[in-house]
Amino acid sequence: MLEQLKREVYEANMQLPKLGLVTFTWGNVSGIDRKQGLYVIKPSGVDYEKLTPEDMVVVNLKGEVVEGKLNPSSDTPTHTYLYNHFPKIGGIVHTHSPWAVSFAAANMDIPALNTTHADTFYTDVPAANALTKEEIAEDYEGNTGKTIVQTFQDRHLDYEATPAALVSQHGPFAWGETAAKAVYNAKVLEVVAQEDFHTFELTHRSSELPQYLLDKHYYRKHGKNAYYGQTNAQSKTHAKRK
Ligand SMILES: [Zn+2]
């Protein structure tokens, strides 16, 4: 069942150690088949070297395991909540990558200070509201998803334009149209977190990216007038042939 998606999610998981985003087994990627309402996620606590595509666990949108010999990631309820409330995402990744965790530990947003940030994230990446003692006791992982969604609602953020969030004193979640795109966004987040940290070390002056530069970079890559890369070149060629 979902063999192709299992392979994609397996490969996306294997990118995490290669990109320096995980230590030991601290991370997980999932990817969803929206038509079937099923998603595929890494099993809990399995070493990346030992992981195989067949180990991936199939889960439904109620968070129930549909297929798999191993237990799914302990963060599965967070993934379930995000898939249910962010209906256009196709993949989710969670890591404990150290620069993003540093901002999460400080309970600070990762601010938009440079164009690398603006190429992928249209706003500051928000630090989600911290969970209460009761929320942690009641349903820790489910409420982790809930506080991310609530933070996006409270701050009128668009989850497609800003495809990541920090969980307070914990770490980042990132998402995207596919599992591979979610991993890409998680890596960009880690890079900009490191850059922001160094910018703060270098200057105490405000380094906020002006809105016109943020707009320029974000919309160069996203939306109907995007022109970065080769996609447009191809479509122009096709248009000429008609
Ligand atoms: Zn975690």
Side-chain angles (χ1 to χ4, degrees):
M1 149 185 260
L2 299 173
E3 300 310 315
Q4 175 63 29
L5 185 61
K6 278 183 193 164
R7 158 80 40 196
E8 282 172 32
V9 171
Y10 163 77
E11 281 169 4
N13 271 288
M14 295 307 286
Q15 284 296 312
L16 297 183
K18 282 188 199 148
L19 292 170
L21 291 172
V22 298
T23 306
F24 303 122
T25 60
W26 311 335
N28 46 72
V29 185
S30 69
I32 191 166
D33 180 324
R34 286 281 177 190
K35 281 201 190 101
Q36 298 199 47
L38 297 172
Y39 73 90
V40 168
I41 191 164
K42 179 179 172 280
S44 183
V46 177
D47 286 341
Y48 286 90
E49 309 93 79
K50 292 183 184 150
L51 207 58
T52 68
E54 295 72 43
D55 290 336
M56 299 297 122
V57 184
V58 181
V59 180
N60 66 22
L61 285 172
K62 290 182 202 157
E64 298 160 344
V65 172
V66 173
E67 188 198 72
K69 291 188 251 7
L70 301 166
N71 290 328
S73 162
S74 53
D75 294 314
T76 295
T78 314
H79 290 245
T80 303
Y81 197 93
L82 292 176
Y83 282 127
N84 279 310
H85 291 82
F86 290 167
K88 290 185 181 165
I89 64 178
I92 299 171
V93 55
H94 171 55
T95 77
H96 289 184
S97 62
W99 293 103
V101 166
S102 302
F103 278 79
N107 211 10
M108 282 171 69
D109 294 354
I110 296 179
L113 303 186
N114 62 43
T115 62
T116 313
H117 185 118
D119 284 336
T120 297
F121 303 107
Y122 187 55
T123 63
D124 296 353
V125 172
N129 310 323
L131 295 179
T132 64
K133 188 179 170 190
E134 291 72 27
E135 285 169 331
I136 290 169
E138 182 214 12
D139 175 11
Y140 179 46
E141 292 83 5
N143 283 329
T144 296
K146 198 172 177 182
T147 192
I148 292 172
V149 171
Q150 188 64 47
T151 300
F152 272 70
Q153 285 172 0
D154 292 350
R155 294 170 60 170
H156 306 291
L157 296 171
D158 173 350
Y159 68 84
E160 289 183 276
T162 304
L166 300 176
V167 177
S168 178
Q169 298 186 298
H170 181 172
F173 277 82
W175 47 84
E177 301 92 69
T178 61
K181 195 68 209 289
V183 170
Y184 174 91
N185 291 338
K187 179 64 183 183
V188 175
L189 187 71
E190 181 65 359
V191 169
V192 296
Q194 184 176 18
E195 290 166 349
D196 284 2
F197 178 89
H198 288 123
T199 306
F200 288 145
E201 287 288 293
L202 288 167
T203 179
H204 294 293
R205 282 182 290 123
S206 169
S207 305
E208 204 174 299
L209 202 59
Q211 190 65 40
Y212 51 84
L213 185 54
L214 200 153
D215 282 342
K216 181 70 195 165
H217 271 263
Y218 187 78
Y219 290 113
R220 238 167 39 133
K221 284 194 161 184
H222 304 267
K224 62 177 175 13
N225 296 321
Y227 61 90
Y228 177 90
Q230 299 303 324
T231 320
N232 285 4
Q234 274 173 1
S235 60
K236 271 178 200 156
T237 315
H238 286 242
K240 265 184 211 161
R241 280 194 197 128
K242 275 178 196 167

